[in-house]
Amino acid sequence: SFSNADASFSNSFSNADASQMRPFLRQMRPFLTQMRPFLTQMRPFLTQLRPFLTQIRPFLTQMRPFLTQVNPFLKQMRPFLTRVCQLLLAGLTEFLRSLPPYSALIPLL
């Protein structure tokens, strides 16, 4: 069962587009066949997500130039940010380990 959006999307393809896509789709068939159960499970979630994505689309479109500019900087920062997160996680883990057991805290509550 196609929704109107799906129908308009498929109608926007010409026969020429379809013939160009055929070899690609043929190659993709085994992958898509494997993915089918997963996609079937995901369908209700994705259907629920659609109105939200439709709402935020204009915002994301506006953000695109900014994100494109920031992307190289973020890529450079990735190792540093990864290390910071690892250290924070290690520190938090150490802190949690140093706490007395939960049963010892109950009388304090």
Side-chain angles (χ1 to χ4, degrees):
S1 65
F2 280 119
S3 70
N4 288 343
D6 294 330
S8 64
F9 177 72
S10 60
N11 289 341
S12 67
F13 280 117
S14 67
N15 286 339
D17 292 329
S19 66
Q20 285 179 336
M21 287 289 285
R22 226 169 259 129
F24 169 72
L25 291 174
R26 226 173 264 127
Q27 270 188 318
M28 288 294 290
R29 180 176 249 153
F31 170 73
L32 294 173
T33 304
Q34 278 187 321
M35 286 294 290
R36 184 178 227 147
F38 170 73
L39 294 173
T40 303
Q41 275 188 317
M42 287 294 289
R43 188 177 204 144
F45 169 72
L46 295 174
T47 304
Q48 283 185 322
L49 206 58
R50 184 180 245 163
F52 169 72
L53 294 175
T54 305
Q55 274 188 322
I56 67 165
R57 184 183 217 154
F59 168 72
L60 293 177
T61 305
Q62 280 185 321
M63 287 293 289
R64 181 179 239 152
F66 169 73
L67 293 173
T68 305
Q69 279 187 323
V70 169
N71 196 28
F73 169 72
L74 291 177
K75 277 186 178 167
Q76 278 186 320
M77 289 292 290
R78 187 180 205 159
F80 169 73
L81 293 173
T82 302
R83 187 69 187 130
V84 167
C85 289
Q86 286 171 341
L87 290 172
L88 286 171
L89 190 59
L92 181 62
T93 304
E94 251 342 277
F95 170 72
L96 291 173
R97 281 196 186 125
S98 73
L99 289 176
Y102 182 67
S103 56
L105 294 174
I106 292 174
L108 302 175
L109 296 178

